[in-house]
């Protein structure tokens, strides 16, 4: 049985749901220049400068679902589900609009005071991601993002402002969202846009080092402000399976897993693993790494390890194996034993248990599943007649006003139920230490990978489409009441 204080909740990020990009003094941020459509990945990967985008580009993160103006309604819906916690991120440029100000923006701090106070009033524990694919655009233009060591001091100024302001309101913090994504989406993860002739591998690992140092320094700062703070790291997780029992395939899976664990090895153990040092040596990578950096990393390891899990991955040492499918940015070989979502993400509940055991065996620290879920296309129906409703039509709008719109998302319930069953096995049978579970996109939001609204994860539907049309009305899906029962029973109802 899960502990009585298990933190059931949900997760979002400012860059995908908050909106209000030009309100109350907020400055432009990284997300505000990442477009939807064919240019999204080239920009996110640092291959195409946002300055070279067409004038008619659509930036879905600027408005997102306008939680900025709807947070009271949204938090009350979370409370109705019985959330014990809610993971969200703060917008760095709402606190420091350009990133280099000497004092934080009071309007930005007040906004998060309002959100957190509403959460606490409803018995919801805040879990705050400090930097979730986010940075003030001013710092990217001034320093080139995390290419520069100067980002560390600006990040720490931001941390000091929020740690001090919310020291008696927030216990759980995450320094960087999915820090290993810096290797795959360098602009999204670190504000890096490559120039012709630059050593991209060197720049990615140098930026990663600066983020790792910043994380350690933030951990030190946090504990000096409030010793009871719990500071976590986060990775995009999911084990690589070997395609076969061929030893070369098995070794390849170990090497692929190391690419992800490298970051957490440093944040949890306090030093660079030997395999990483050997990799740097082979690749001729000489990082700007000081004695003070080493000391900071060694003395300020994280208190817990959080991660996202959507699917496992499959790899082979055989270069002829090319039958691939999509994943959480990571392309992977198709696993013949698994089904896949509409976006090609393979569905592997047992893989969550495997991942939990792999992480716990490696680090022996408390864990927190802070993202998990199924992105799917939802069909809105009239709950009384069962008739399908087309968004934007008069019939649809009338159903919204009458409270008759819903989504029968049994596919989402099945996905989440199977994963919850496996996390419970990991706790009860394997003995892993798990703090909580916050499914991703508990309310529909903009997809980070595609920029779409139609890739929906939520228990709560938001009336908005991929082109930005819609009235932003919210209503519960079938999964809303199901998850409410899961929380109320502390997961026990999933045993049925």
């Amino acid at each position: 049985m899960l502990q009585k204080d298990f933190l059931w909740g949900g997760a979002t990020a400012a860059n995908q749901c908050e909106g209000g990009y030009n309100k109350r003094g907020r400055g432009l941020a990284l997300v505000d220049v990442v477009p939807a459509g064919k240019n999204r990945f080239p920009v996110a990967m640092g291959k195409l400068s946002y300055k070279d985008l067409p004038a008619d580009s659509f930036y879905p993160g600027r408005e997102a679902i306008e939680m900025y103006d709807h947070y009271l309604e949204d938090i009350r819906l979370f409370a109705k589900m019985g959330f014990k916690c809610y993971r969200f991120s703060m917008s760095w440029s709402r606190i420091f609009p350009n990133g280099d100000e000497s004092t934080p923006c009071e309007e930005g701090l007040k906004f998060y005071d309002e959100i957190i106070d509403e959460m606490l009033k409803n018995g919801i524990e805040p879990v705050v991601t400090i930097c979730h694919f986010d940075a003030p655009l001013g710092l990217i233009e001034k320093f080139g993002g995390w290419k520069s060591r100067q980002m560390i001091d600006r990040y720490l100024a931001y941390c000091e402002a929020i740690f001090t302001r919310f020291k008696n309101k927030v216990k759980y913090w995450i320094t960087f969202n999915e820090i290993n994504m810096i290797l795959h989406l360098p602009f999204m993860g670190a504000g890096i846009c490559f120039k012709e002739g630059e050593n991209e591998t060197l720049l990615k690992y140098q930026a990663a080092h600066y983020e790792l140092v910043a994380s350690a320094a933030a951990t030190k700062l946090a504990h000096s402000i409030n010793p009871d703070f719990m500071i976590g790291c986060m990775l995009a997780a999911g084990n690589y399976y070997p395609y076969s029992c061929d030893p070369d395939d098995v070794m390849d899976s170990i090497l692929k897993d190391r690419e992800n664990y490298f970051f957490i090895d440093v944040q949890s153990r306090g030093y660079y693993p030997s395999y990483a040092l050997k990799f740097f040596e082979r690749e001729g990578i000489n990082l700007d790494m000081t004695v003070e950096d080493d000391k900071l990393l060694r003395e300020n390891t994280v208190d817990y390890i959080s991660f996202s899990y959507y699917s496992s991955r499959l790899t082979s040492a055989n270069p002829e194996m090319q039958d691939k499918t999509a994943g959480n940015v990571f392309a992977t070989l198709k696993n013949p034993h698994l089904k896949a979502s509409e976006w090609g993400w393979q569905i592997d509940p047992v893989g969550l248990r495997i991942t939990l055991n792999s992480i716990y065996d490696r680090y022996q620290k408390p864990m927190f599943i802070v993202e998990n879920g199924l992105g799917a296309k939802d069909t809105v129906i009239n709950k009384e007649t069962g008739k399908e409703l087309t968004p934007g039509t008069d019939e649809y709008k009338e159903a919204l006003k009458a409270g008759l719109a819903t989504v029968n998302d049994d596919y989402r319930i099945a996905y989440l139920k199977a994963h919850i069953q496996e996390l419970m096995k990991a706790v009860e049978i394997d003995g892993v230490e798990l703090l909580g579970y916050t499914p991703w996109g508990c309310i529909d939001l903009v997809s980070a990978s595609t920029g779409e609204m139609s890739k929906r994860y939520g228990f709560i539907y938001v009336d908005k489409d991929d082109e930005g049309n819609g009235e932003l009305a919210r209503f519960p899906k079938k999964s809303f009441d199901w998850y409410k029962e899961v929380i109320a029973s502390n997961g026990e109802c999933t045993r049925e």
Side-chain angles (χ1 to χ4, degrees):
M1 182 176 292
L2 299 175
Q3 67 265 26
K4 290 182 180 179
D5 60 352
F6 189 78
L7 292 172
W8 296 99
T12 66
N15 65 328
Q16 292 165 257
C17 73
E18 189 175 283
Y21 81 103
N22 57 358
K23 296 179 180 178
R24 282 171 75 174
R26 180 187 178 278
L28 285 176
L30 179 159
V31 65
D32 301 321
V33 295
V34 179
K38 65 180 182 180
N39 288 322
R40 187 171 184 84
F41 260 88
V43 170
M45 294 173 69
K47 302 290 189 180
L48 173 66
S49 172
Y50 60 89
K51 295 179 180 179
D52 296 330
L53 290 169
D56 61 351
S57 295
F58 172 52
Y59 303 97
R62 293 185 179 185
E63 182 185 63
I65 62 166
E66 281 293 357
M67 188 177 275
Y68 185 84
D69 292 320
H70 290 260
Y71 71 87
L72 286 173
E73 176 187 1
D74 295 341
I75 291 170
R76 287 166 188 172
L77 284 167
F78 300 158
K80 191 174 180 181
M81 265 189 285
F83 276 21
K84 306 297 182 186
C85 73
Y86 170 48
R87 176 196 170 212
F88 68 101
S89 71
M90 294 183 179
S91 170
W92 186 345
S93 64
R94 201 173 287 288
I95 309 300
F96 287 93
N98 293 312
D100 58 358
E101 292 87 352
S102 58
T103 57
C105 174
E106 179 60 22
E107 283 297 305
L109 291 169
K110 281 182 180 177
F111 172 67
Y112 292 114
D113 262 325
E114 292 163 9
I115 286 182
I116 293 169
D117 287 347
E118 185 65 23
M119 290 170 60
L120 295 175
K121 188 172 78 174
N122 284 281
I124 300 173
E125 180 94 38
V127 179
V128 175
T129 309
I130 299 168
C131 185
H132 190 128
F133 297 156
D134 184 30
L137 199 61
L139 294 182
I140 292 171
E141 296 188 341
K142 186 173 184 178
F143 299 132
W146 285 92
K147 288 180 182 180
S148 171
R149 178 177 282 274
Q150 293 180 81
M151 287 290 287
I152 298 174
D153 286 341
R154 300 322 312 156
Y155 176 82
L156 290 176
Y158 166 45
C159 288
E160 184 173 17
I162 59 178
F163 288 160
T164 302
R165 180 66 164 239
F166 308 114
K167 66 179 179 181
N168 297 318
K169 296 180 179 181
V170 177
K171 177 180 179 180
Y172 295 96
W173 303 85
I174 298 169
T175 53
F176 289 94
N177 175 72
E178 294 182 332
I179 192 168
N180 50 322
M181 281 295 187
I182 196 172
L183 299 182
H184 308 278
L185 300 175
F187 184 76
M188 192 86 89
I192 295 173
C193 189
F194 297 111
K195 297 176 182 176
E196 189 174 349
E198 287 185 319
N199 184 330
E200 294 184 11
T201 302
L202 169 62
L203 284 176
K204 285 190 284 190
Y205 279 99
Q206 185 64 73
H209 175 70
Y210 292 148
E211 287 194 359
L212 290 168
V213 172
S215 178
T219 302
K220 179 180 181 180
L221 175 65
H223 289 148
S224 71
I225 291 172
N226 185 341
D228 293 330
F229 277 168
M230 290 283 285
I231 309 299
C233 58
M234 184 192 170
L235 79 156
N239 280 47
Y240 276 95
Y241 301 154
Y243 187 82
S244 73
C245 54
D246 182 332
D248 286 340
D249 283 356
V250 175
M251 192 66 228
D252 195 60
S253 71
I254 291 172
L255 296 176
K256 289 289 199 308
D257 278 336
R258 280 177 173 174
E259 291 178 13
N260 295 324
Y261 286 133
F262 151 72
F263 297 89
I264 312 306
D265 281 350
V266 177
Q267 291 174 293
S268 183
R269 292 172 171 169
Y271 56 88
Y272 277 81
S274 55
Y275 66 79
L277 298 177
K278 284 293 183 182
F279 169 76
F280 294 155
E281 183 181 306
R282 286 193 307 274
E283 296 295 318
I285 295 173
N286 296 305
L287 297 181
D288 169 27
M289 190 185 305
T290 69
V291 173
E292 187 178 65
D293 291 349
D294 289 340
K295 187 172 187 292
L296 266 174
L297 294 172
R298 188 172 61 253
E299 295 178 354
N300 300 283
T301 55
V302 292
D303 301 310
Y304 68 96
I305 296 164
S306 68
F307 64 91
S308 61
Y309 176 85
Y310 295 97
S311 61
S312 56
R313 299 148 193 162
L314 187 67
T315 188
S316 172
N318 183 351
E320 295 182 4
M321 299 294 293
Q322 295 295 325
D323 189 14
K324 293 188 176 183
T325 186
N328 184 18
V329 176
F330 306 86
T332 176
L333 293 176
K334 287 184 180 179
N335 188 326
H337 302 285
L338 301 177
K339 295 179 180 178
S341 75
E342 294 169 272
W343 274 267
W345 295 26
Q346 297 180 118
I347 298 171
D348 183 9
V350 177
L352 175 57
R353 182 180 177 188
I354 292 168
T355 298
L356 281 162
N357 276 279
S358 296
I359 293 174
Y360 194 65
D361 287 350
R362 194 177 185 100
Y363 303 115
Q364 294 289 303
K365 287 192 175 185
M367 293 178 295
F368 204 143
I369 304 168
V370 293
E371 289 186 30
N372 173 237
L374 177 68
K377 291 184 178 180
D378 290 337
T379 299
V380 181
I381 63 169
N382 183 306
K383 67 174 69 174
E384 286 188 349
T385 66
K387 183 180 179 181
E388 183 176 332
L389 301 171
T390 302
T393 63
D394 290 341
E395 188 178 27
Y396 172 82
K397 292 175 182 178
E398 288 171 9
L400 280 181
K401 289 178 183 177
L404 295 177
T406 192
V407 173
N408 284 340
D409 53 342
D410 293 303
Y411 42 88
R412 184 168 292 111
I413 292 171
Y415 176 100
L416 293 170
K417 180 178 180 180
H419 284 76
I420 291 170
Q421 288 171 338
E422 294 301 322
L423 75 83
M424 292 174 74
K425 289 176 187 176
V427 172
E428 297 169 357
I429 298 174
D430 307 324
V432 306
E433 188 177 355
L434 187 60
L435 297 171
Y437 176 70
T438 58
W440 176 248
C442 48
I443 181 170
D444 290 344
L445 39 61
V446 175
S447 168
S449 58
T450 68
E452 296 170 306
M453 276 298 301
S454 57
K455 187 180 183 183
R456 298 178 182 273
Y457 287 86
F459 305 112
I460 301 164
Y461 189 94
V462 177
D463 176 34
K464 189 173 185 182
D465 65 19
D466 292 342
E467 287 72 45
N469 304 308
E471 299 179 5
L472 298 172
R474 278 88 156 125
F475 59 83
K477 305 175 189 178
K478 184 177 180 179
S479 56
F480 182 101
D481 289 326
W482 172 81
Y483 192 51
K484 181 178 180 179
E485 185 181 357
V486 170
I487 296 173
S489 69
N490 203 25
E492 291 300 305
C493 70
T494 63
R495 297 187 194 275
E496 299 169 1

